[in-house]
Amino acid sequence: MSAKKEASVWQGFRAFLMRGNVVDLAVAVVIGAAFTNIVNSVVKGIINPLVGAIGTQNLDNYSSCLEAPCKVAPDGTVKSGVPILWGSVLGATLTFVITAAVVYFLMVLPMSKYLARQTARKAAREGTREVIEVTELEVLKEIRDALVAQRGPGPDKR
């Protein structure tokens, strides 16, 4: 019985993997990982130099000291004090906002417009089909009425 149960678990797992959603998710993760590199390059190559025009190019250098004196070693370890690295948070926030904007404007918005057009076209086709069906029914009724009128009164109506 356990061999049969393992076979059904394996079949269930295989069915899970073969569903379209899992494959779509795997593709999305791979593309998202590649896209992260692009966004990080934009932040490091464009955003940081723009911020650098005002101050330092590396947002990680922006910090405040909660408990003075703050001394941080070049490797990032804290020697003394309590530093708050708000520049790192700002950089991560900028990366997130840029990623979200690009995903929304280049992927979500065009796809939703496309799906709305497809839905409108489908509704228009169904509306046309209904009009044609109603029109055919009207024509058939008119033909029936014309044939009845041509025959004249029936034998029981004399």
Side-chain angles (χ1 to χ4, degrees), residues 29-48:
V29 167
V30 170
I31 289 176
F35 186 69
T36 300
N37 291 333
I38 293 171
V39 172
N40 288 337
S41 296
V42 169
V43 169
K44 288 178 183 174
I46 297 174
I47 303 297
N48 287 351

Side-chain angles (χ1 to χ4, degrees), residues 9-71:
V9 170
W10 175 252
Q11 289 172 349
F13 181 67
R14 194 173 106 213
F16 169 74
L17 290 178
M18 299 310 286
R19 285 194 321 208
N21 296 345
V22 174
V23 174
D24 291 343
L25 181 62
V27 169
V29 167
V30 170
I31 289 176
F35 186 69
T36 300
N37 291 333
I38 293 171
V39 172
N40 288 337
S41 296
V42 169
V43 169
K44 288 178 183 174
I46 297 174
I47 303 297
N48 287 351
L50 289 175
V51 172
I54 300 168
T56 180
Q57 281 194 359
N58 188 357
L59 291 177
D60 292 339
N61 292 338
Y62 289 105
S63 64
S64 298
C65 191
L66 194 61
E67 189 177 305
C70 284
K71 292 183 183 178

Side-chain angles (χ1 to χ4, degrees), residues 3-4 6-7 11 21 34 36-38 44 52 57 62 72 75 80 95-96 120 122 131 138 142 149 151 155:
K4 187 175 185 179
E6 287 179 24
Q11 289 172 349
N21 296 345
T36 300
N37 291 333
I38 293 171
K44 288 178 183 174
Q57 281 194 359
Y62 289 105
V72 179
D75 64 351
S80 67
T95 301
F96 172 76
K122 185 176 180 182
V131 169
E138 296 284 331
E142 289 175 10
R151 274 195 238 158

Side-chain angles (χ1 to χ4, degrees), residues 82-151:
V82 180
I84 297 177
L85 305 173
W86 58 270
S88 298
V89 175
L90 179 62
T93 303
L94 284 173
T95 301
F96 172 76
V97 168
I98 291 169
T99 304
V102 169
V103 166
Y104 179 76
F105 289 113
L106 293 182
M107 296 177 189
V108 173
L109 190 63
M111 183 57 79
S112 63
K113 285 184 178 182
Y114 172 76
L115 291 175
R117 277 188 300 215
Q118 292 295 89
T119 304
R121 285 181 188 158
K122 185 176 180 182
R125 280 192 301 249
E126 288 177 1
T128 304
R129 207 173 292 139
E130 288 177 10
V131 169
I132 290 172
E133 289 175 5
V134 169
T135 306
E136 288 176 358
L137 186 60
E138 296 284 331
V139 169
L140 289 172
K141 285 181 182 178
E142 289 175 10
I143 291 171
R144 181 198 64 203
D145 294 343
L147 287 173
V148 168
Q150 247 181 3
R151 274 195 238 158

Side-chain angles (χ1 to χ4, degrees), residues 72-79:
V72 179
D75 64 351
T77 58
V78 177
K79 297 285 186 185

